[in-house]
Amino acid sequence: MRLDEHGVAGERRRVHHHYLKGSLFCGKDRVDGVVRRMIIQRTPGRHGGDYWYFFCIGNQKNAGCHSPHLNADRIEEAVVEYYKRIAFSPQFIAVMQLALDDMLAETEATQRLYKKHLQDQLKDLDTKETNLLSLAEDGALPQAKIRSRLTDIKRERDKLEAELGKVQLDLSASAEFLTTCLELLRNPYRLYKGASDN
Ligand SMILES: [Zn+2]
């Protein structure tokens, strides 16, 4: 177990850090449908060194839970063991991968259609602009009116071009990220064992 050792001897620190802090919940309460966090406490040992315990927040000041204080080392071991039991099955991963591929193909198709739609609208604007300019040449519309319409067209074009810039056709990076996550969850135990405290 590695814990923050910033505390100077004799100093009382009320806030203790542990990588499992915030991730543990009381199992005794969970049976009753109550969700309570486990918090950590340090007790100085008689012969130097510290003992660290996790305990249910409901156990503080008789708030209703009587679950025991649990040695932090034992908890760490239990959590490691737990990771052996929560792997995704190969079948589940295969199904997820298929669903992911389908979803990506569908999203890419939708994005392609949207891009086409935006490009068509931009073309319409070009036509409108050309028509306006020939109206201006003919003197068929007052100058002020033409200017105001041209400004509208420019505003609309800027909007469409900004939208067009957001269209993402290549989703392979996102796909790769999700596939990597799936692969890691094939063996969460190995992942957890290999991870640093951070
Ligand atoms: Zn509890």
Side-chain angles (χ1 to χ4, degrees), residues 31-68:
V31 173
D32 302 326
V34 179
V35 178
R36 283 197 180 119
R37 275 185 198 285
M38 303 285 282
I39 52 180
I40 192 163
Q41 175 189 298
R42 180 181 65 170
T43 308
R46 238 178 264 168
H47 310 291
D50 290 328
Y51 292 100
W52 296 80
Y53 294 96
F54 276 103
F55 64 99
C56 173
I57 201 161
N59 203 343
Q60 219 177 18
K61 295 173 191 156
N62 297 323
C65 180
H66 304 288
S67 60

Side-chain angles (χ1 to χ4, degrees), residues 98-115:
L98 277 179
L100 186 61
D101 293 345
D102 281 355
M103 191 195 69
L104 279 165
E106 206 173 294
T107 308
E108 279 180 357
T110 309
Q111 292 285 77
R112 246 193 303 279
L113 275 179
Y114 186 48
K115 187 181 176 183

Side-chain angles (χ1 to χ4, degrees), residues 82-129:
Y82 176 71
Y83 272 87
K84 284 182 186 169
R85 309 205 310 263
I86 57 167
F88 283 176
S89 72
Q91 294 89 326
F92 179 77
I93 288 177
V95 168
M96 287 297 286
Q97 187 63 58
L98 277 179
L100 186 61
D101 293 345
D102 281 355
M103 191 195 69
L104 279 165
E106 206 173 294
T107 308
E108 279 180 357
T110 309
Q111 292 285 77
R112 246 193 303 279
L113 275 179
Y114 186 48
K115 187 181 176 183
K116 171 88 173 52
H117 171 70
L118 291 171
Q119 284 167 334
D120 287 349
Q121 281 188 306
L122 278 168
K123 258 184 233 156
D124 286 350
L125 280 183
D126 288 345
T127 313
K128 261 190 204 164
E129 195 177 50

Side-chain angles (χ1 to χ4, degrees), residues 154-167:
K154 187 188 178 314
R155 197 176 300 136
E156 187 67 13
R157 185 182 283 128
D158 289 349
K159 220 169 70 186
L160 290 171
E161 276 170 354
E163 268 304 290
L164 205 53
K166 283 190 243 163
V167 173

Side-chain angles (χ1 to χ4, degrees), residues 83-84 86 180-197:
Y83 272 87
K84 284 182 186 169
I86 57 167
T180 305
C181 292
L182 273 179
E183 280 308 312
L184 287 174
L185 291 170
R186 200 182 281 280
N187 194 340
Y189 174 69
R190 193 175 55 202
L191 176 65
Y192 190 79
K193 286 285 275 186
S196 72
D197 280 5

